[in-house]
Amino acid sequence: RNLWPGWRCFSQVNKTMLRFHSSVSANKQIQDFHSDSIRAIADLRSPHAWYPAARRMRRRWIAHVGPTNSGKTFQALSRLASSPEGVYCGPLRLLAWEIHEKLCEGSIEGRKVFCAL
């Protein structure tokens, strides 16, 4: 026989407190995990270690440089249209859309090229 009549209520409070404490602890662990993940993603100190498979690939990069209005874009697009594969990186979305349309309709090099934005 228990001498204190409120022991059941006290026991229930203890169980509730334990559940609350464990959920707070779990939330803290989740927050710690997320902050560690964010720290790892935002760490920009060693870009040479990113994408090791891509860094092992042998690639050929071509950069067209020259003065304004010298035909750089036209030459690059002509080569792109005549090659079996390639990538065009443009500085503006509207310019990229215009080039996409020209390549698809075949107005560059007279050959329609399938391309995706």
Side-chain angles (χ1 to χ4, degrees):
R1 197 172 82 117
N2 198 339
L3 298 176
W4 186 50
W7 71 273
R8 287 187 186 177
C9 180
F10 184 72
S11 172
Q12 188 62 33
V13 168
N14 271 345
K15 287 179 185 174
T16 304
M17 292 289 285
L18 281 173
R19 264 189 258 132
F20 175 75
H21 179 69
S22 64
S23 71
V24 168
S25 175
N27 284 339
K28 177 74 171 127
Q29 288 175 348
I30 290 170
Q31 288 173 351
D32 288 346
F33 173 76
H34 285 302
S35 64
D36 289 344
S37 298
I38 290 169
R39 254 187 234 107
I41 290 169
D43 184 10
L44 302 176
R45 291 178 292 178
S46 55
H48 61 278
W50 304 341
Y51 308 107
R55 291 191 163 275
R56 284 192 297 270
M57 292 173 66
R58 305 292 285 164
R59 294 185 256 193
R60 183 173 164 212
W61 294 82
I62 300 171
H64 288 271
V65 275
T68 304
N69 207 14
S70 62
K72 298 180 298 288
T73 304
F74 179 76
Q75 286 179 344
L77 292 177
S78 297
R79 292 288 303 268
L80 177 62
S82 64
S83 70
E85 62 182 15
V87 175
Y88 171 77
C89 299
L92 303 169
R93 183 184 302 183
L94 185 60
L95 180 60
W97 183 252
E98 179 184 337
I99 288 170
H100 173 267
E101 287 179 338
K102 285 182 178 182
L103 286 171
C104 287
E105 70 189 20
S107 63
I108 299 173
E109 290 293 306
R111 178 177 167 246
K112 289 186 179 185
V113 176
F114 171 76
C115 55
L117 287 177

